[in-house]
Amino acid sequence: MNAPLPDVPEVRVVGLPQLTQGFDLVERLGLDMHLKVHGPLDPMSGDQLAQLADDISLHGRGGAGFPFGRKLRAVGKAAIRRGVRPVVVVNGSEGEPACRKDTVLLNRAPHLILDGALLAAEALGARTLIVAVTRNSTEISIRSALAERGLTDRRGQALRARVVRTPERMVSGEASAVIRAAAGGPALPAGRRERAAESGVGGAPTLLSNAETYAQLAIAARVGPRRYGHSGLDSEPGTVLLTISGAVARPMVVEVPTGVPLRYVLQLAGAPLLPQGVLTGGYHGNWIDSVSVDNAVVSRASLAAVGGALGAGAILPIGPETCPLGESLRVANWLAAETAGQCGPCRLGLPAAAGGLSDVLNGGGPAALEALREVTQAVKGRGACKHPDGSARFFASTLSAFTDDLAAHVLDGGCGRPTVGVLPLPAPGYQDAEESIPSGEKLAVDWTLCQGHGLCADIVPELIRLGPDGYPALADASVPMHLRGRAQRAVRRCPALALRIEQGPQERPALPPGGGRKALGSGRG
């Protein structure tokens, strides 16, 4: 069974590095080294920045692929129309087990991301910058980067900047989930479709985009659209970051110009010469076969033309030794467990689909296959967020990509191959073992005032439980930084004013150790 991917896997480059420039010099580019490698950055107006994004065909790199220039203009217009300051959000919430590209950037080149986000904030006149992260290492790195720039969340500053920690879950990276977390709520989709450009954090127009998107913007702002277009295709200029895992000898994050053959990138990671299939776009993506791999290059359009997807940049081949339906069932069970539990298609439909796939594998015959197709179709387009649609896409792609194996299981009782577990999934209990940065503060109760209302336990159950007598029992630990906002909200909401936060000795974490090998411009790491 494959182990979960490390936070920062090996990093490699095809051609000349842009996002990964300087990775061959140091494990993490602090502000001084960042400026030496990339140079200074001049501010731009909103119109100039939107035009730049259009000139380089910059689309979001988080999976949806929405044009960044259109999003920037929409936020600017909404802010002017309503007469309010917009908010800029960096979505570094990478909760998918097969994705590590944003984690690599946040850990090794955090200032490149901040460059792009600060460019957008200044162009829009924003006074608030929020960076959402999922992992301990990324939280440490981005907090250190903000400190290096003198950016804090203190009142009175021209720009207030803060970090929001979200759980390492698939649904926590969805735009509305990040916005809810930024407002101090749970990192779950809102259950209603609302454009962040119109009403996002605190009801203000919000520019929310992926970490790599902001880094690409910072590169283009320095070199200009013409030089930026020297790499990659004319229709999709520049480079992309891909996470290559699955049945490969060396899981890695690779920076590659668009237009490079997909087969070459897979060979770089040591993938099988004739994979049974390659999952493109991650666990909300599509399977393609070996013939399609030979016909595809790295680009949104090319992958879509062969039935694949660039998505969040995760590419996962599987070899001939494993059962592809068994591999897909492992992912299907994980997707079902990742439900936000807020609508029927997600809470009921996805577990039913995963159970249906299990029935097919375990000899359920044609009736089980037909039931699986029906439940998958019923899930599509009816969810409160994008998780049911993305999961249904994965189910449908699995059924259409592996027809021979499907026939063997339905008609002959199986394909005769074991499931070896090559697709990365979190280790059991990973959420319970999640680390966090301590704030040095603790919750305390004035028992002369407490009346056992229990509101505090509802707001921050990770730190407060209700005892058998109905009164709160507090965790004897420092409040983690990512729960600090909710702890403060619990204090404010206490009707009896019995709950307070006490300052303890401050624990300061060290920077995360660098992970993976250093990337070289020649493509060797």
Side-chain angles (χ1 to χ4, degrees):
M1 304 284 283
N2 269 15
L5 291 176
D7 276 13
V8 183
E10 177 183 352
V11 179
R12 303 196 58 179
V13 182
V14 176
L16 295 176
Q18 294 192 44
L19 300 173
T20 58
Q21 191 175 355
F23 281 21
D24 56 333
L25 303 174
V26 291
E27 290 296 326
R28 178 184 181 276
L29 279 73
L31 183 56
D32 289 342
M33 181 58 74
H34 167 76
L35 291 173
K36 288 179 181 177
V37 169
H38 292 286
L41 186 59
D42 295 327
M44 303 176 73
S45 69
D47 288 340
Q48 289 174 323
L49 201 59
Q51 188 60 53
L52 173 66
D54 292 346
D55 290 342
I56 64 170
S57 299
L58 181 60
H59 287 65
R61 302 300 176 91
F66 194 82
F68 185 84
R70 284 173 55 190
K71 187 183 294 187
L72 186 70
R73 289 187 180 94
V75 173
K77 289 178 181 177
I80 292 171
R81 184 179 68 252
R82 294 176 51 193
V84 297
R85 295 276 186 176
V87 175
V88 173
V89 178
V90 177
N91 189 357
S93 296
E94 200 167 41
E96 185 172 341
C99 293
R100 287 296 184 274
K101 68 180 183 68
D102 291 325
T103 300
V104 163
L105 282 178
L106 287 160
N107 273 302
R108 300 197 63 181
H111 288 286
L112 200 59
I113 298 167
L114 290 180
D115 277 348
L118 291 171
L119 265 180
E122 185 163 359
L124 291 169
R127 296 288 176 84
T128 303
L129 170 64
I130 298 169
V131 184
V133 297
T134 53
R135 298 185 175 90
N136 203 44
S137 61
T138 50
E139 184 179 0
I140 293 171
S141 179
I142 203 69
R143 286 189 184 278
S144 298
L146 291 174
E148 287 179 283
R149 291 175 180 252
L151 294 172
T152 71
D153 195 26
R154 294 192 185 96
R155 291 184 179 180
Q157 294 207 99
L159 178 74
R160 296 178 63 178
R162 57 189 171 94
V163 179
V164 170
R165 179 76 172 264
T166 63
E168 196 171 332
R169 295 193 58 198
M170 188 78 160
V171 294
S172 297
E174 203 264 348
S176 66
V178 172
I179 288 171
R180 288 183 77 185
L188 295 173
R192 60 186 183 277
R193 305 290 175 102
E194 195 168 39
R195 294 179 62 213
E198 290 289 336
S199 180
V201 178
T206 299
L207 178 68
L208 185 147
S209 204
N210 168 263
E212 184 194 341
T213 312
Y214 286 111
Q216 294 282 3
L217 188 68
I219 293 291
R222 280 184 167 91
V223 304
R226 185 173 180 180
R227 183 176 161 193
Y228 185 91
H230 288 171
S231 297
L233 301 167
D234 290 340
S235 56
E236 297 179 36
T239 65
V240 296
L241 285 179
L242 303 175
T243 308
I244 314 296
S245 64
V248 297
R250 299 176 304 280
M252 63 176 61
V253 168
V254 57
E255 182 180 13
V256 55
T258 56
V260 168
L262 181 61
R263 173 70 70 185
Y264 176 79
V265 178
L266 291 172
Q267 289 175 351
L268 190 68
L273 290 178
L274 291 174
Q276 279 193 86
V278 177
L279 183 58
T280 61
Y283 294 157
H284 277 177
N286 294 325
W287 290 99
I288 61 175
D289 58 22
S290 289
V291 175
S292 298
V293 169
D294 288 333
N295 294 331
V297 301
V298 176
S299 81
R300 291 189 311 276
S302 176
L303 286 170
V306 297
L310 182 59
I315 307 293
L316 302 103
I318 59 171
E321 75 287 347
T322 188
C323 171
L325 298 181
E327 294 289 344
S328 297
L329 177 60
R330 293 178 63 245
V331 176
N333 287 329
W334 179 80
L335 288 170
E338 286 295 287
T339 170
Q342 298 182 140
C343 68
C346 199
R347 183 169 54 88
L348 303 175
L350 297 187
L357 183 56
S358 178
D359 290 344
V360 170
L361 265 69
N362 292 313
L369 177 59
E370 184 58 30
L372 172 58
R373 293 189 191 279
E374 287 181 4
V375 72
T376 301
Q377 187 65 32
V379 165
K380 291 166 62 175
R382 298 178 55 221
C385 71
K386 298 176 183 176
H387 183 55
D389 284 353
S391 301
R393 186 183 309 116
F394 173 80
F395 281 105
S397 177
T398 299
L399 297 181
S400 62
F402 303 111
T403 52
D404 290 346
D405 295 89
L406 196 60
H409 280 277
V410 171
L411 302 176
D412 299 329
C415 65
R417 286 171 293 182
T419 300
V420 298
V422 297
L423 300 179
L425 290 172
Y430 74 103
Q431 288 176 320
D432 296 333
E434 183 182 31
E435 298 178 353
S436 183
I437 300 173
S439 66
E441 299 172 340
K442 286 190 174 182
L443 287 170
V445 174
D446 184 338
W447 296 110
T448 64
L449 297 175
C450 182
Q451 299 174 13
H453 292 95
L455 292 178
C456 53
D458 291 335
I459 295 172
V460 59
E462 296 90 342
L463 299 175
I464 305 173
R465 308 275 182 179
L466 294 183
D469 57 0
Y471 282 82
L474 306 185
D476 186 21
S478 176
V479 176
M481 289 297 292
H482 74 282
L483 294 179
R484 191 164 176 261
R486 285 163 61 194
Q488 292 171 336
R489 188 149 57 96
V491 170
R492 292 194 300 268
R493 295 280 181 88
C494 178
L497 305 180
L499 188 65
R500 65 180 184 270
I501 293 178
E502 295 181 342
Q503 185 67 40
Q506 185 74 17
E507 303 173 61
R508 294 190 61 82
L511 284 175
R517 302 178 186 175
K518 300 173 184 176
L520 301 177
S522 62
R524 299 182 59 189

